[in-house]
């Protein structure tokens, strides 16, 4: 008797091809950029940790990202529609998930955010939104924008905004492809928030020895500096131990796990 075997689909590996570097190994300028972008919400540590393998490129890319995010002319809503749609078309859950909160802050409803990840005909998009999403569909896969769609975009956007639209879609596609290829994982939710009172620090340095991913000793004054205010959950035990060891009581922890389970 002959047995026919159904071919098995190879399991997709989730192991990062290039693991993100921990914050302790980032160059100072990258840590500074992360601190400066706290208002952009959580979800950047593994992204920055991946870029940290190439500090010069990281600084250039983040400079462009900050221009598009904070100095762009498309408007928050338009920008997030483009990012979400490109991330969907390129199957980039890291980027799509990272921008859900930002899209809500830009005024998109939960239904609209969900609709960026399905057929465009499912949701009754306004004409300007629909034009942006159609453009994102094409730009994500390096297809030309036909004249009819370009005319619709040009009626709604000025030349500066049209150029920005193209660059934003390309920048988003580049990051989606990079993170997908490297299998960069989404950041885990922090279980702790670390508060550091540097005025109370007595420079014992025990916290640095226990949790170097979270604390470092400032060479200028010997006091401890905080690398990551909301460390990954995998460092939680080390951070709690560091707080217990601190002789001056300079480290205070806000434990989200205890808050969630009273």
């Amino acid at each position: 008797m002959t047995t026919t075997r159904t071919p098995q689909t190879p399991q997709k590996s989730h192991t990062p091809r290039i693991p993100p570097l921990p914050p302790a190994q980032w160059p100072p300028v990258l840590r500074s950029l992360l601190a400066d972008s706290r208002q952009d919400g959580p979800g950047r540590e593994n992204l920055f940790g991946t870029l940290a393998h190439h500090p010069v490129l990281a600084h250039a890319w983040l400079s462009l990202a900050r221009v598009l995010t904070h100095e762009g002319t498309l408007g928050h809503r338009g920008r997030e529609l483009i990012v979400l749609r490109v991330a969907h078309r390129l199957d980039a859950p890291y980027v799509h998930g990272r921008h859900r909160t930002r899209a809500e802050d830009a005024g998109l409803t939960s239904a609209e955010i969900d609709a960026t990840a399905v057929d465009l005909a499912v949701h009754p998009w306004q004409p300007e939104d629909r034009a942006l999403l159609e453009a994102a569909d094409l730009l994500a896969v390096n297809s030309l924008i036909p004249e009819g769609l370009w005319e619709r975009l040009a009626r709604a956007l000025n030349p500066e905004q049209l150029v920005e639209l193209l660059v934003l879609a390309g920048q988003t596609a580049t990051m989606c492809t990079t993170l997908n290829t490297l299998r960069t994982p989404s950041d885990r939710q922090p279980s702790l928030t670390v508060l550091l009172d540097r005025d109370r620090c007595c420079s014992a340095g025990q916290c640095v020895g226990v949790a170097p991913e979270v604390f470092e000793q400032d060479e200028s004054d010997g006091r401890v500096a905080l690398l990551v205010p909301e460390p990954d959950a995998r460092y939680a035990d080390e951070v709690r131990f560091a707080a217990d060891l601190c002789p001056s009581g300079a480290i205070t922890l806000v434990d989200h796990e205890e808050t969630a389970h009273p």
Side-chain angles (χ1 to χ4, degrees):
M1 183 176 67
T2 302
T3 302
T4 302
R5 295 182 179 273
T6 302
Q8 298 294 311
T9 302
Q11 293 293 313
K12 183 179 179 180
S13 174
H14 296 288
T15 302
R17 283 174 163 160
I18 300 179
L21 292 174
Q25 297 180 32
W26 298 356
V29 66
L30 198 57
R31 293 202 297 267
S32 176
L33 284 170
L34 179 63
D36 290 344
S37 64
R38 286 287 164 196
Q39 69 272 22
D40 292 339
R44 301 174 310 284
E45 185 171 330
N46 283 341
L47 167 61
F48 279 40
T50 297
L51 293 172
H53 287 281
H54 195 324
V56 175
L57 180 61
H59 187 271
W61 182 86
L62 290 168
S63 297
L64 173 59
R66 292 178 70 179
V67 169
L68 293 171
T69 301
H70 299 294
E71 302 174 35
T73 60
L74 272 176
H76 295 332
R77 179 182 178 87
R79 181 184 66 242
E80 295 307 320
L81 284 173
I82 293 294
V83 172
L84 288 170
R85 190 64 180 178
V86 170
H88 162 65
R89 288 302 304 270
L90 295 180
D91 191 21
Y94 185 115
V95 177
H96 198 279
R98 166 82 178 88
H99 277 263
R100 284 194 68 95
T101 299
R102 297 177 68 172
E104 291 173 354
D105 293 341
L108 274 75
T109 66
S110 295
E112 288 175 327
I113 295 172
D114 292 340
T116 64
V118 297
D119 190 290
L120 294 182
V122 171
H123 185 80
W125 294 105
Q126 292 297 315
E128 184 175 336
D129 290 344
R130 177 67 183 248
L132 290 174
L133 293 165
E134 288 181 22
D137 277 351
L138 294 169
L139 294 170
V141 295
N142 196 30
S143 294
L144 294 177
I145 295 179
E147 287 301 322
L149 176 55
W150 183 259
E151 290 173 1
R152 289 160 54 200
L153 291 166
R155 286 196 295 269
L157 305 175
N158 62 38
E160 182 179 15
Q161 292 170 320
L162 289 168
V163 171
E164 185 177 319
L165 161 63
L166 301 178
V167 174
L168 173 63
Q171 185 251 14
T172 304
T174 297
M175 188 47 55
C176 289
T177 301
T178 300
L179 296 176
N180 280 354
T181 301
L182 296 181
R183 303 173 188 151
T184 301
S186 297
D187 290 3
R188 298 173 183 172
Q189 291 300 311
S191 60
L192 292 173
T193 295
V194 183
L195 306 176
L196 177 66
D197 186 346
R198 294 191 80 244
D199 291 337
R200 296 182 62 179
C201 177
C202 63
S203 305
Q206 292 172 312
C207 57
V208 179
V210 172
E213 299 84 2
V214 179
F215 304 98
E216 72 172 355
Q217 202 145 15
D218 193 320
E219 295 181 357
S220 62
D221 61 10
R223 295 181 180 180
V224 171
L226 186 60
L227 296 175
V228 186
E230 295 183 341
D232 191 295
R234 59 188 155 167
Y235 303 131
D237 289 342
E238 288 85 350
V239 172
R240 291 190 177 96
F241 187 35
D244 290 340
L245 287 176
C246 180
S248 62
I251 302 172
T252 301
L253 304 181
V254 179
D255 195 322
H256 301 300
E257 292 181 354
E258 291 181 359
T259 302
H261 304 285

